Amino acid sequence: MMTGKRPVATWRLWGAPAVLGLLTCFGLLAALLGVDIWHWLAWLALAVPVATGAWFWSFPRRQRKSPGPCDTQI
């Protein structure tokens, strides 16, 4: 039986990588096939994944500390 929450969870997991992938494909095709304004759009589209990677590399998310086997109190 399928629940209604599954598509939302799938979109939350794969939404950002899919958008970044589409931007990358658009940017590469615009750079190869376009002229004038398309080159500027290609630069913009290819800058977004680079900026996103730089952002998450510069400011990594802090993970919550989950209790491990050595953290239990006796």
Side-chain angles (χ1 to χ4, degrees), residues 61-73:
R61 293 176 55 183
R62 298 180 192 257
Q63 294 180 350
R64 289 187 285 165
K65 186 177 179 187
S66 60
C70 298
D71 294 338
T72 57
Q73 294 181 356

Side-chain angles (χ1 to χ4, degrees):
M1 181 152 81
M2 192 173 208
T3 63
K5 294 183 181 182
R6 176 161 253 150
V8 174
T10 302
W11 179 248
R12 285 194 61 186
L13 179 65
W14 294 106
V19 169
L20 291 175
L22 288 173
L23 276 173
T24 302
C25 289
F26 170 77
L28 291 173
L29 286 173
L32 285 172
L33 303 175
V35 179
D36 293 331
I37 190 71
W38 291 103
H39 285 170
W40 291 102
L41 292 174
W43 270 94
L44 182 64
L46 292 172
V48 171
V50 172
T52 303
W55 176 267
F56 282 101
W57 179 72
S58 298
F59 305 105
R61 293 176 55 183
R62 298 180 192 257
Q63 294 180 350
R64 289 187 285 165
K65 186 177 179 187
S66 60
C70 298
D71 294 338
T72 57
Q73 294 181 356
I74 298 175

